[in-house]
Amino acid sequence: MLDDRKLAVLRAIVEDYVSTNEPVGSKALAERHNLKVSPATVRNDMAALEEDGYITQPHTSAGRVPTDKGYRLFVDRLSQVKPLSGAERRAIETFLAGAVDLDDVVTRTVRLLAQLTRQVAVVQYPTLTRSTVRHVELVPLSERRVMLVLITNTGRVEQRVIELPEVVEDTRIAHLRAVLNSCLDGCGLSSVPEQVADLPERLPVEDRPVVATILSVLLETLVERHDEKIVFAGAANLAGADFTTGLRDVLEALEEQVVLMRLLGETSPDIPSALTVRIGSENPYLHGTSIVATGYGSGDKQLARLGVLGPTRMDYPVTMGAVRAVARYVSQILAAS
Amino acid sequence: MLDDRKLAVLRAIVEDYVSTNEPVGSKALAERHNLKVSPATVRNDMAALEEDGYITQPHTSAGRVPTDKGYRLFVDRLSQVKPLSGAERRAIETFLAGAVDLDDVVTRTVRLLAQLTRQVAVVQYPTLTRSTVRHVELVPLSERRVMLVLITNTGRVEQRVIELPEVVEDTRIAHLRAVLNSCLDGCGLSSVPEQVADLPERLPVEDRPVVATILSVLLETLVERHDEKIVFAGAANLAGADFTTGLRDVLEALEEQVVLMRLLGETSPDIPSALTVRIGSENPYLHGTSIVATGYGSGDKQLARLGVLGPTRMDYPVTMGAVRAVARYVSQILAAS
DNA sequence: ACTTGGCACTCGGGAACACAGAGTGCTAGA
DNA sequence: TCTAGCACTCTGTGTTCCCGAGTGCCAAGT
């Protein structure tokens, strides 16, 4: 059904269409890629490919354009991820190495990825739930207010101001801090609730209201940040491209954390570092766009996801190469810090 | 030269053009606004206004369109800021009141402003330099690493990981923390450098290298964040509007912190809470767009700026009302926390 | 059984053209 | 000083026409 030459034709169509953004005809195809066959033969193959739904023509007597199914086949079987050039790799490395804190790492990563791919880059902040507590700090602000600061092993810092139910002097605060730390230090964020469950009972009665207040804020912080923060960059790259779905819709999706989250998708449980590619209508939330994403994180734990979003007509090999490389480098950086 | 009726005509032209986005002709003008005069008279006035450069026609025999100069006159003399409706005020208040920390305040503010004005909203994070130190925290991470956390009275938290030149046990860290706090608590960020200048000399010799390292990071943090973080929202609102300068340029400017900073401009020293309006070419960095901005901050201190960016053809009274109102509310919130 | 050249057909998009309508400037009169 | 009328000038739209790229199919060639 699909012999080698038909696949070669499909590959050529995808490559040409991606680079020219114009429907590609049989003649130009036979010329540019030296297929050693005549345009007529190519036409026959094209008819077969169209029959099978891999390509389509915008209107009668125009060239062919890949369908989503065609891109899918191209990505799965006809292309291989294109590695970055040495210069690019070095640029990534030095650029990311300059980051001073987690915020900075994420910001730099997203910009880098946008610039590298000339698409919209999307990066999810490392999930709290998979990281562990490195330190809990209680800072007295006034008689009845303290600030809770939670520091994780990924360098993330969360803070909340807490109104206490009663006046608490600093020494008691210091004591509570010590208790909290001995209880939570190094424990995974997801196990924090069980760790602190019986904490009030182990403390003197008079401390319990205060502890209860603090704990409720602490737990709230964990839950709240469970659905994670996501940032994007490179929206300017949308200006040139034309989407089947309106530009407005894309921009709106980018500003909706929830939608973005869905777009990035779940890490595949078996191979978390695998590249996920969603093409056009495969993507349920934003038609006419494609997404290349992957998980990243320090060591073997995948902490979050990053990727790029662009028109269906994108250079998949290059984009996939860039996403994979950036994910690796940022994982390194996170592991080191 | 410019009698009352001519001004009324200009006002009518601006209002009509803003609402219809089409060049406005003499006939429609005389009808819609009851000017009590005939179209012919209006035409004479229009000729005069065009002579003076307040309006222009895209081509012969089309209606008139306000020039930047025309908008300027309109904003300065022909319009008054339109206050928000009661429902809108309440919505703002409840929406902002739900914020849990500074990040959240800023995020909510920028979204709110974007939604309210249907333009791109821009909010600068409150400046560190004008705020004061509320607490300095040193958190031991490992033998030779500590995390420096700086908490300001605006609720902002800055953190940095510090590599120490030698192994330092926790009690020494605790002591240093106490020293730093007694030295810096409540002092303005801009006066931190002088406050800590003689600190090493006042400490035992063996502590000096460690202190020097910590202080250098601390000072670096202050300088680095001096040029402030800026966020925006509502880019989707650009999709409809058409700019004389390309959409791409606008999006690029939005992602460039530095440009954005310049766009928001400086707070006028005398009346920091005054609204700044830059119209079209008055804006040196991004032609064809207008900016309505103002300072905000707790109490009488202006901490930062916020505003919106939109096409020159925008509804200035409404936009100005929204910007002013949001600035007031967010100032209140900051003062309270 | 494929491949190739030839040929008629289709359809999109650009150029040429006409035309209606909105808007103007000007002049003469109230 | 305002108004009414009138001739003029454009843009935008709809129509028509034609070119050319590209196709599908058929018959001949290997």
Side-chain angles (χ1 to χ4, degrees):
Chain A
M1 199 51 139
L2 281 183
D3 56 18
D4 282 356
R5 199 187 55 213
K6 288 198 183 63
L7 292 179
V9 168
L10 177 56
R11 176 196 283 121
I13 290 174
V14 171
E15 286 172 356
D16 269 25
Y17 181 62
V18 163
S19 70
T20 65
N21 195 17
E22 270 168 21
V24 23
S26 55
K27 192 174 153 198
L29 232 182
E31 282 172 6
R32 250 196 298 236
H33 310 256
N34 49 352
L35 293 178
K36 321 261 192 198
V37 289
S38 74
T41 311
V42 172
R43 278 205 289 280
N44 289 333
D45 290 349
M46 284 168 123
L49 286 169
E50 182 161 20
E51 179 75 17
D52 290 353
Y54 294 110
I55 55 179
T56 184
Q57 39 192 345
H59 34 259
T60 326
S61 95
R64 302 306 216 288
V65 167
T67 60
D68 291 352
K69 188 178 172 189
Y71 283 118
R72 167 55 57 198
L73 184 61
F74 175 80
V75 167
D76 288 346
R77 295 185 43 200
L78 302 179
S79 68
Q80 48 192 15
V81 176
K82 193 180 167 199
L84 298 184
S85 72
E88 283 172 319
R89 291 167 161 275
R90 278 189 296 281
I92 295 179
E93 213 155 354
T94 56
F95 186 61
L96 287 186
V100 299
D101 62 7
L102 183 67
D103 258 354
D104 205 17
V105 170
V106 173
T107 309
R108 281 169 185 250
T109 303
V110 74
R111 294 199 180 184
L112 180 67
L113 195 51
Q115 203 164 356
L116 226 46
T117 59
R118 303 197 168 280
Q119 312 279 8
V120 180
V122 183
V123 176
Q124 176 188 9
Y125 268 69
T127 321
L128 276 182
T129 45
R130 295 245 187 125
S131 34
T132 61
V133 176
R134 192 169 251 170
H135 194 86
V136 180
E137 191 61 41
L138 289 173
V139 181
L141 298 182
S142 67
E143 273 193 334
R144 294 188 45 178
R145 293 166 76 200
V146 297
M147 175 171 277
L148 171 73
V149 182
L150 178 69
I151 302 170
T152 76
N153 67 336
T154 51
R156 184 152 181 185
V157 176
E158 294 291 329
Q159 77 265 14
R160 284 286 186 292
V161 175
I162 307 178
E163 301 280 343
L164 297 177
E166 59 190 276
V167 176
V168 182
E169 61 271 30
D170 290 1
T171 54
R172 273 173 76 198
I173 294 288
H175 178 239
L176 286 177
R177 179 199 300 149
V179 172
L180 272 177
N181 272 302
S182 71
C183 172
L184 294 178
D185 200 12
C187 101
L189 289 202
S190 52
S191 59
V192 166
E194 46 196 272
Q195 285 289 329
V196 301
D198 63 340
L199 196 55
E201 299 158 23
R202 283 157 40 201
L203 291 173
V205 174
E206 65 269 24
D207 278 342
R208 289 186 191 167
V210 175
V211 171
T213 307
I214 293 174
L215 288 184
S216 77
V217 173
L218 175 61
L219 295 178
E220 192 184 294
T221 306
L222 294 178
V223 186
E224 207 160 85
R225 297 290 164 145
H226 191 203
D227 49 353
E228 276 305 321
K229 214 171 128 188
I230 291 193
V231 294
F232 68 91
N237 294 325
L238 292 174
D242 50 339
F243 289 87
T244 57
T245 167
L247 174 62
R248 177 177 199 104
D249 293 331
V250 179
L251 284 170
E252 271 172 6
L254 284 175
E255 294 197 345
E256 268 310 318
Q257 308 269 326
V258 187
V259 179
L260 260 193
M261 198 67 202
R262 297 258 169 78
L263 287 177
L264 269 185
E266 295 295 319
T267 306
S268 107
D270 10 320
I271 321 162
S273 65
L275 282 167
T276 313
V277 181
R278 294 222 187 111
I279 297 166
S281 55
E282 294 174 10
N283 182 336
Y285 307 99
L286 204 53
H287 292 263
T289 62
S290 284
I291 285 144
V292 176
T294 186
Y296 74 93
S298 59
D300 48 350
K301 285 177 299 185
Q302 295 302 313
L303 297 175
R305 293 179 66 79
L306 59 77
V308 311
L309 178 153
T312 310
R313 180 188 81 79
M314 72 160 65
D315 189 336
Y316 291 96
V318 168
T319 306
M320 290 166 77
V323 169
R324 195 179 61 182
V326 169
R328 282 185 186 160
Y329 280 111
V330 70
S331 295
Q332 271 182 29
I333 298 279
L334 286 181
S337 68
Chain B
M1 199 53 139
L2 282 181
D3 56 17
D4 282 357
R5 199 186 56 214
K6 288 199 183 62
L7 291 179
V9 168
L10 177 56
R11 176 197 283 121
I13 290 174
V14 171
E15 287 172 355
D16 269 25
Y17 181 64
V18 163
S19 68
T20 65
N21 195 17
E22 271 168 22
V24 23
S26 55
K27 192 174 152 198
L29 232 181
E31 282 171 7
R32 251 195 298 234
H33 311 255
N34 50 351
L35 293 178
K36 320 261 193 200
V37 289
S38 76
T41 310
V42 172
R43 278 205 289 281
N44 288 332
D45 290 349
M46 284 168 121
L49 286 169
E50 182 162 20
E51 179 75 16
D52 291 354
Y54 293 110
I55 55 179
T56 184
Q57 40 192 345
H59 35 260
T60 327
S61 97
R64 301 306 215 289
V65 166
T67 60
D68 291 353
K69 188 178 171 189
Y71 283 117
R72 168 54 58 198
L73 185 61
F74 175 80
V75 167
D76 288 347
R77 295 185 44 199
L78 302 178
S79 68
Q80 47 192 15
V81 176
K82 193 182 166 197
L84 299 183
S85 73
E88 283 172 319
R89 292 166 161 273
R90 277 189 297 279
I92 295 180
E93 212 156 354
T94 56
F95 186 61
L96 287 186
V100 299
D101 62 7
L102 183 67
D103 259 354
D104 204 18
V105 170
V106 173
T107 308
R108 281 169 186 249
T109 302
V110 74
R111 295 200 176 181
L112 180 68
L113 196 51
Q115 202 162 357
L116 226 46
T117 59
R118 304 199 167 280
Q119 313 278 7
V120 180
V122 183
V123 175
Q124 177 188 8
Y125 268 69
T127 321
L128 276 182
T129 44
R130 295 245 187 126
S131 35
T132 61
V133 176
R134 193 168 251 170
H135 194 85
V136 180
E137 192 59 43
L138 289 173
V139 181
L141 296 182
S142 68
E143 273 191 334
R144 293 188 46 177
R145 293 166 76 201
V146 297
M147 176 171 276
L148 171 72
V149 182
L150 179 69
I151 302 171
T152 75
N153 67 336
T154 51
R156 184 152 180 183
V157 176
E158 294 290 330
Q159 76 265 13
R160 283 287 185 290
V161 175
I162 306 178
E163 302 280 342
L164 296 178
E166 58 190 282
V167 174
V168 183
E169 61 271 29
D170 291 0
T171 54
R172 273 174 76 199
I173 294 289
H175 178 238
L176 285 177
R177 179 200 299 149
V179 171
L180 273 177
N181 272 303
S182 72
C183 172
L184 293 178
D185 199 11
C187 101
L189 289 202
S190 53
S191 60
V192 166
E194 47 195 272
Q195 285 288 329
V196 301
D198 62 340
L199 197 54
E201 298 159 24
R202 284 158 40 199
L203 290 172
V205 174
E206 64 269 26
D207 279 343
R208 288 186 192 168
V210 175
V211 170
T213 307
I214 293 175
L215 288 184
S216 77
V217 173
L218 174 61
L219 295 178
E220 191 183 295
T221 306
L222 294 178
V223 187
E224 206 160 85
R225 297 291 164 143
H226 191 202
D227 49 352
E228 277 304 321
K229 214 170 127 189
I230 292 195
V231 294
F232 69 90
N237 294 325
L238 293 174
D242 48 339
F243 289 87
T244 58
T245 166
L247 175 60
R248 173 172 203 109
D249 293 330
V250 179
L251 284 170
E252 270 171 6
L254 283 176
E255 293 196 346
E256 268 312 316
Q257 309 269 327
V258 187
V259 178
L260 216 44
M261 198 67 200
R262 296 257 169 78
L263 286 177
L264 269 185
E266 296 295 320
T267 306
S268 109
D270 10 321
I271 321 164
S273 65
L275 283 167
T276 313
V277 181
R278 293 220 188 113
I279 297 166
S281 55
E282 293 174 11
N283 183 333
Y285 307 98
L286 204 53
H287 292 263
T289 61
S290 285
I291 284 144
V292 177
T294 186
Y296 73 94
S298 60
D300 48 350
K301 287 178 298 187
Q302 295 301 313
L303 296 176
R305 294 180 65 79
L306 59 79
V308 310
L309 178 154
T312 310
R313 179 188 81 78
M314 72 159 67
D315 189 336
Y316 290 95
V318 168
T319 307
M320 291 166 77
V323 169
R324 195 179 61 182
V326 169
R328 284 185 186 162
Y329 280 110
V330 70
S331 296
Q332 272 182 30
I333 298 281
L334 286 180
S337 70

